[in-house]
Amino acid sequence: MRTFAVRPAVTAGALGLAFALAATSASAQDSYTVEQPTSVLIFPKVVNDEGRDTVLQVTNNHNVMVYAHCFYTDGQTINGVPRWTVTDFQLNLTRQQTTTWPASTGRPQNPSDDQNGIDPGGVPPTVDGFTGSLVCVQIGSSHGNPIGGNSLTGRASVAGADYNAVGIPGINVDGDKTLMLDGLEYARCPSSYHLDFVTPGSGGAVALGSMVGFGLGDAVATVSTSLTVVPCNYDFATFFPASVRLGFNPIVDEFENRNSVGTAEDVVCWENVQLDNAVFELGPSTFNTARVNGNDSTGAAAPFVGVANVLRVGGTSLGMDSATTNLHAVTGALADGQIIIP
Amino acid sequence: MSSKTTIAIIASAAAGSLMIASVATAAPTHDKPAGLVIYPKIQVSSADGLDTRMHLSNTSGLPQMAHCFYVNANSHCTNNGNVCDTFLDCEDTASGTFGSCEAGWIETNFDIFLTAEQPIGWLASEGLSVNDLPCRATFQNPNPCIGGDNNGTRIPPVEDPFIGELKCIQADSVTRLPVACDGDNCRNDLTGKAVIMSSSLLDGASYPAAGLRQVRNDGGNDLQVGGDSGSVEYENCAEVLVMDFVYDGATDPISGTLQGQSQLTLVPCTQDFRGQTTDAVTAQFLVYNEFEQRLSTSRRVECLLDSQISLIDTSQPNRSIFSFPIGGTITGQARIRGVGGGLAGVAVLGLATNWLDPDNDTRQGLAGYALDSVVDTSTPDIISLP
């Protein structure tokens, strides 16, 4: 009787363990992703300034309750002094639940307000002028420790320009408050990307589209590109900002002209890097690819994530438009990072 | 049952589970170079002021060739050959009769020769002629660029209007087939991006091409995408696409006045460019709102599905499971499972002053984004090349 009573439980437990292992193994990856559910989400660009706002959407892809500990990092500078403040909150998502909120207002915990849907917990508003990032870490229970459930996907719409949140899959998560993005506990972040961009200031038919053919006379727009970057290291316990030094080498245009910017930018905490340096204006070309490399102060590869933003300005008759896209990582160019949560 | 038998069953169950886990589970990538890139949506319409700017880049330090296939998903009238949506577009005014409007998937293939680390771009409406090649070798200038030349590249313009897709496969410059390879020596050098531009308002929806990375290749005409790890040539197409979306008709929380009006485009991963036939895939949709309520529908994807999301399941958008009047929340999650094959796709979020008007010319705030994907089986897709 004892064996009979115990065996189904053991069997079920073993099968459960087996399937849990299978689930963990099936979702294990050695690198970041922008298209699969993961355990850590990074939204590199969240803005609430100058009339621009960001709508954020986070989704639970699994059939169980999922919790996430999220951290806004305000990367704006005021009178040249960086703000670098962190605001944290928790999301509670029922199975397969998606939730959304504007960065400017957040989402109060109020079932009787006019925001339909199950409130995921109180999401605070960001301050006016906020330009920074959002990181969400999947945790095991309310106010619990990190787990590698790989349940979260995210999307952000910055003033009408959408991008997918960067996801860091959990691999073998030990559950402590220091998340090692080392390819063992969590996947690593890239240290180098391919960035396609249109030559700054270029207009004309190819860059904009054949406006002449569309009956808009000879109207053209100018195009500019910027790169929003955050280091793939966060210390939310002591609020010490991480940094990464960006180099653009090589920059190749469609005529195969080559150039480089050795140390273009030191990014501390958060930065929007405008590609308006003369080096990026390579002459008669329209299309360019830059290899964007991240290094630390010693010259070693340093991890970072980001998105590219394209702004087209067409004057009063056409207005302006922006588009945001995720970046292509260089194959195999990965570096270790870490996220420390309180 | 003895305890040994029980242990054996447990062990085999565990082994079986882990075997499932060991099957290749990588999905299409939008953030890494690949050996095969898919642009699910290319749109041109001079009447509506739409065009698509295409980008293709070679990320390697060696010249590379891409063998590309436009798939024209326009329907055409049987009586006059005009592009049509319904038979009502096929009226012969002289006789007062109507032709039928028939789907006709037309494939056009061409080659792109890229020099080392070269990006190239073109407008879908114009293509790229020999005279416009950036690195064009001539008798007078046989070596225009250090890393090779673009000779042999001819990108045709697409029909106007046009809705369709583009697939580009990294290939050998002579055979126009992928180079036989195994593991680390397989080439994955292509990245792509498309920008669908509207000129009525300066507006554009940009999305990265979906990439399938090569893991091995036998150099043959049939490319196996996903499936058994022993014969897989390219990583899996998504079996389930996840679309985080704004319900059609939901009020944009920022403007407070504009309403969501999004488009979804899906293409099957299995394609027979050699036999010029299509294998339809049924897309099953599970739609969750923010109350965790679930609704479902399905739709066949013959060759390309491009639809306002609230017209996927009905002709009356305000009764759609993708509409705010039914969903009741601003955002939702749609899990799209391909039955009979994998799917690739892209979503374009738009905002409109009147979401119930499909021809709304004040549609603005276009934004394209890649769909998330989940791979949980080993069913292969096959792309057959001529």
Side-chain angles (χ1 to χ4, degrees), chain B residues 299-367:
Chain B
R299 179 84 179 260
R300 274 171 71 82
V301 181
E302 293 280 355
C303 173
L304 180 143
L305 169 67
D306 179 62
S307 173
Q308 183 177 322
I309 57 172
S310 54
L311 292 172
I312 287 175
D313 55 328
T314 174
S315 59
Q316 298 170 292
N318 55 348
R319 297 188 176 192
S320 167
I321 63 172
F322 293 94
S323 71
F324 180 73
I326 300 299
T329 61
I330 295 174
T331 57
Q333 175 195 182
R335 298 179 71 84
I336 309 163
R337 177 179 292 274
V339 179
L343 290 167
V346 64
V348 175
L349 169 67
L351 299 171
T353 51
N354 179 8
W355 71 284
L356 290 171
D357 178 5
D359 299 320
N360 194 319
D361 61 1
T362 56
R363 197 161 177 270
Q364 56 190 277
L366 298 179

Side-chain angles (χ1 to χ4, degrees), chain A residues 195-200 202 205-208 251-257 280 282-290, chain B residues 52-57 117-123 128 132 134 193 195 197:
Chain A
L195 171 65
D196 289 337
F197 66 98
V198 172
T199 301
S202 67
V206 175
L208 175 65
I251 304 168
V252 183
D253 73 4
E254 57 191 329
F255 298 101
E256 219 187 278
N257 298 312
F280 294 105
L282 298 175
S285 68
T286 299
F287 296 99
N288 310 271
T289 295
Chain B
T52 305
R53 191 178 73 213
M54 313 292 298
H55 294 242
L56 181 70
S57 295
E117 297 186 289
Q118 186 187 29
I120 203 164
W122 69 96
L123 282 175
L128 197 61
D132 293 331
K193 186 174 78 168
V195 186
M197 300 182 296

Side-chain angles (χ1 to χ4, degrees), chain A residues 18-201:
Chain A
F19 284 112
L21 282 170
T24 305
S25 179
S27 54
Q29 300 176 57
D30 62 354
S31 137
Y32 90 136
T33 174
V34 300
E35 61 261 325
Q36 293 185 62
T38 58
S39 301
V40 178
L41 293 181
I42 302 176
F43 297 84
K45 184 178 186 181
V46 180
V47 299
N48 171 27
D49 73 332
E50 299 173 353
R52 297 181 300 166
D53 200 352
T54 305
V55 177
L56 296 143
Q57 184 174 1
V58 176
T59 299
N60 169 14
N61 280 261
H62 284 165
N63 283 321
V64 294
M65 186 86 183
V66 162
Y67 305 86
H69 194 174
C70 298
F71 303 85
Y72 274 126
T73 303
D74 190 349
Q76 69 173 311
T77 56
I78 300 175
N79 298 326
V81 180
R83 195 175 168 99
W84 301 338
T85 54
V86 174
T87 306
D88 69 327
F89 59 93
Q90 183 173 307
L91 293 177
N92 311 316
L93 297 171
T94 63
R95 56 184 186 172
Q96 303 288 355
Q97 190 196 353
T98 186
T99 192
T100 188
W101 68 91
S104 61
T105 62
R107 183 160 186 158
Q109 177 82 358
N110 180 4
S112 62
D113 64 15
D114 59 0
Q115 282 193 293
N116 293 340
I118 302 170
D119 288 327
V123 178
T126 56
V127 297
D128 281 345
F130 181 95
T131 50
S133 63
L134 174 68
V135 176
C136 288
V137 176
Q138 186 174 351
I139 54 179
S141 59
S142 183
H143 305 291
N145 288 333
I147 61 167
N150 293 332
S151 304
L152 302 174
T153 56
R155 188 174 67 84
S157 180
V158 184
D162 286 25
Y163 68 88
N164 287 3
V166 172
I168 310 293
I171 300 170
N172 188 15
V173 177
D174 61 17
D176 66 17
K177 299 293 178 95
T178 299
L179 285 61
M180 302 302 297
L181 314 186
D182 57 1
L184 299 173
E185 185 178 5
Y186 289 86
R188 293 186 291 176
C189 288
S191 59
S192 185
Y193 294 89
H194 303 284
L195 171 65
D196 289 337
F197 66 98
V198 172
T199 301

Side-chain angles (χ1 to χ4, degrees), chain B residues 69-337:
Chain B
F69 299 82
Y70 270 130
V71 180
N72 182 341
N74 283 336
S75 296
H76 293 84
C77 296
T78 53
N79 55 346
N80 56 23
N82 292 342
V83 177
C84 56
D85 292 324
T86 69
F87 78 95
L88 295 173
D89 299 326
C90 303
E91 182 180 10
D92 182 344
T93 52
S95 64
T97 59
F98 290 86
S100 61
C101 181
E102 305 235 331
W105 322 115
I106 303 166
E107 171 268 321
T108 305
N109 69 84
F110 57 93
D111 298 328
I112 300 176
F113 290 82
L114 295 162
T115 67
E117 297 186 289
Q118 186 187 29
I120 203 164
W122 69 96
L123 282 175
S125 63
E126 297 180 357
L128 197 61
S129 67
V130 172
N131 291 333
D132 293 331
L133 296 177
C135 293
R136 179 186 172 210
T138 62
F139 284 116
Q140 293 77 22
N141 184 14
N143 299 303
C145 297
I146 299 170
D149 60 58
N150 299 129
N151 286 24
T153 301
R154 285 179 182 79
I155 304 176
V158 299
E159 189 177 27
D160 182 8
F162 179 88
I163 181 73
E165 66 152 324
L166 176 68
K167 279 189 171 74
C168 285
I169 296 153
Q170 191 167 354
D172 178 79
S173 59
V174 176
T175 65
R176 305 175 87 198
L177 297 172
V179 177
C181 65
D182 192 13
D184 289 342
N185 66 359
C186 289
R187 304 297 311 190
N188 290 292
D189 299 321
L190 302 179
T191 64
K193 186 174 78 168
V195 186
I196 301 169
M197 300 182 296
S198 161
S199 64
S200 56
L201 287 167
L202 181 60
D203 208 348
S206 175
Y207 69 86
L212 299 175
R213 291 176 63 83
Q214 275 190 102
V215 292
R216 61 172 288 279
N217 212 305
D218 62 10
N221 297 65
D222 292 327
L223 314 184
Q224 181 174 329
V225 179
D228 178 56
S229 57
S231 55
V232 61
E233 294 179 309
Y234 293 85
E235 292 179 343
N236 306 53
C237 263
E239 191 187 9
V240 178
L241 291 168
V242 181
M243 175 176 67
D244 294 335
F245 67 99
V246 174
Y247 277 99
D248 272 8
T251 302
D252 169 40
I254 294 179
S255 69
T257 55
L258 297 172
Q259 299 163 331
Q261 191 194 50
S262 298
Q263 300 277 132
L264 173 66
T265 305
L266 297 175
V267 295
C269 284
T270 293
Q271 272 170 328
D272 186 353
F273 293 127
R274 186 167 65 245
Q276 302 278 313
T277 58
T278 59
D279 291 322
V281 173
T282 298
Q284 291 182 335
F285 298 82
L286 291 179
V287 179
Y288 296 84
N289 67 5
E290 293 182 50
F291 289 114
E292 200 195 301
Q293 294 165 319
R294 188 182 75 177
L295 295 169
S296 64
T297 187
S298 66
R299 179 84 179 260
R300 274 171 71 82
V301 181
E302 293 280 355
C303 173
L304 180 143
L305 169 67
D306 179 62
S307 173
Q308 183 177 322
I309 57 172
S310 54
L311 292 172
I312 287 175
D313 55 328
T314 174
S315 59
Q316 298 170 292
N318 55 348
R319 297 188 176 192
S320 167
I321 63 172
F322 293 94
S323 71
F324 180 73
I326 300 299
T329 61
I330 295 174
T331 57
Q333 175 195 182
R335 298 179 71 84
I336 309 163
R337 177 179 292 274

